[in-house]
Amino acid sequence: MEIRVLRYFLTVVREESITKVADALHITQPTLSRQLSQMEDDIGVKLFHRGTRKITLTNEGMLLRRRAEEILQLVDNTERELVEQEEQIEGKITIGCGKLASVQILSELIKDFNKKHPGVSYDIFTATADLVKEQMDKGLIDIEKYEFIRLGKKETWVVLMRLDHELAKKEAVSAKDLSELPMILPHRLNVQGELASWFGDYFESLNVLFTSNLSTNGAVMVRNGLGYSVVIEGSVPFWDQSKIAYRPLSPELTATCVLAWKRQQPFSLAATKFIEHAKCFLGMSKA
């Protein structure tokens, strides 16, 4: 597959019309159709359902669309990084993170780095740790296998509840308090393992109504009276606290975050300088 034809493919998918794309690209419609048909022949699958008014994707076409977007993002990143090596430090750094209190430390780090390198911009990719790791392994995120600096901010686990629930009157919530309530737990298995240790003997009989990979969705379920969600306190400021209350777990359960990056991977000059600056900023190296 040629990169040029992949770009044609994605443009046709977006416009749902070969004729419109041919006009925009200043090539003839038969030429564009022939190149897309040749790509189908080369791959050995049908990519489009060609209707009278618009075209739609087959299942194979939908898979290629997803992969083509990843491939072209890698191509664009590589071209950008090669140019940056020969110029003043500029470009974009993509950083994956969650909705955590440690984002405050990240913002301070970026603010300090930006004073030295104002030509650098940032793309903050907010998702669960598993999705951030997947993007990093594909090379689509610069900062995240996996050297790391442990951030000093302590993240505390809390439970979300409606304001009118009896638990909202307590200063902290125990495993026994939650043992007979419908619970919403994080989707990640290693996090569930930590919570299982905290719940102790109550975990086996726990009423887990939902698991959720994003705490915001869990909060919606809590607000509608469907359950009680265990989350990191750092994500609480993103929600309307006039509708949802939260209380810390007792005994306290905490976690720490890291700033991590993939080992033995070539980075853009901007990303390399950012890592060096982070080590210095967080006291991990000399200035």
Side-chain angles (χ1 to χ4, degrees):
M1 291 181 287
E2 297 182 29
I3 297 300
R4 171 177 52 83
V5 180
L6 278 180
R7 295 191 190 277
Y8 290 171
F9 168 76
L10 288 180
T11 306
V12 169
V13 170
R14 186 166 55 249
E15 297 295 333
E16 299 181 336
S17 168
I18 292 179
T19 302
K20 287 182 181 179
V21 174
D23 290 341
L25 297 174
H26 304 293
I27 59 177
T28 65
Q29 187 269 337
T31 298
L32 179 57
S33 294
R34 186 169 58 253
Q35 293 193 34
L36 294 175
S37 295
Q38 183 63 51
M39 183 169 66
E40 288 179 311
D41 291 341
D42 291 343
I43 299 173
V45 297
K46 183 178 180 181
L47 300 173
F48 300 104
H49 295 298
R50 292 169 170 82
T52 55
R53 294 190 175 183
K54 67 178 183 178
I55 63 172
T56 57
L57 290 174
T58 62
N59 288 337
E60 293 81 4
M62 287 188 282
L63 174 60
L64 179 61
R65 175 183 183 174
R66 185 164 65 250
R67 297 304 184 208
E69 289 171 344
E70 294 174 356
I71 290 168
L72 293 177
Q73 187 174 351
L74 280 171
V75 169
D76 292 341
N77 285 351
T78 301
E79 291 176 348
R80 170 175 53 81
E81 290 166 5
L82 289 173
V83 170
E84 288 172 6
Q85 300 297 323
E86 302 299 326
E87 298 178 351
Q88 182 181 1
I89 299 178
E90 296 179 343
K92 181 179 289 185
I93 300 174
T94 304
I95 303 174
C97 65
K99 294 180 178 179
L100 302 167
S102 295
V103 174
Q104 178 62 35
I105 298 176
L106 177 62
S107 68
E108 294 168 3
L109 171 58
I110 292 175
K111 182 178 180 180
D112 196 61
F113 184 75
N114 195 57
K115 292 177 182 178
K116 296 182 178 180
H117 306 292
V120 177
S121 60
Y122 309 87
D123 181 15
I124 304 298
F125 176 80
T126 304
T128 63
D130 289 336
L131 184 54
V132 169
K133 178 178 177 294
E134 177 186 335
Q135 296 289 297
M136 182 178 61
D137 285 341
K138 290 177 180 177
L140 300 179
I141 290 179
D142 294 318
I143 306 298
E144 275 275 353
K145 232 162 171 183
Y146 301 164
E147 293 186 54
F148 65 88
I149 302 170
R150 191 169 298 279
L151 303 179
K153 181 69 176 179
K154 183 173 70 173
E155 304 282 355
T156 303
W157 286 93
V158 300
V159 60
L160 301 183
M161 64 201 70
R162 289 169 58 98
L163 286 169
D164 56 1
H165 194 272
E166 286 295 313
L167 289 184
K169 299 176 182 178
K170 304 188 69 167
E171 293 186 2
V173 177
S174 68
K176 183 178 180 180
D177 293 330
L178 302 174
S179 60
E180 296 182 0
L181 299 176
M183 297 301 301
I184 304 170
L185 298 185
H187 180 77
R188 297 183 66 208
L189 293 179
N190 62 335
V191 175
Q192 288 184 28
E194 292 182 33
L195 291 174
S197 296
W198 182 83
F199 275 102
D201 293 341
Y202 294 107
F203 188 76
E204 289 300 323
S205 58
L206 202 62
N207 177 15
V208 181
L209 187 60
F210 298 100
T211 59
S212 176
N213 68 331
L214 283 177
S215 56
T216 303
N217 291 338
V220 173
M221 303 302 173
V222 171
R223 191 177 65 188
N224 285 283
L226 291 171
Y228 303 81
S229 182
V230 181
V231 300
I232 288 289
E233 184 182 6
S235 59
V236 171
F238 298 97
W239 308 321
D240 185 350
Q241 294 182 47
S242 67
K243 298 178 180 178
I244 296 178
Y246 71 96
R247 296 294 181 267
L249 301 181
S250 178
E252 184 182 56
L253 181 63
T254 63
T256 57
C257 293
V258 298
L259 177 67
W261 57 94
K262 198 169 182 178
R263 283 193 174 95
Q264 299 177 341
Q265 174 173 302
F267 293 108
S268 67
L269 184 57
T272 299
K273 291 294 184 182
F274 185 82
I275 292 170
E276 292 174 357
H277 186 82
K279 289 179 178 179
C280 180
F281 183 86
L282 297 170
M284 302 299 292
S285 70
K286 297 179 181 180

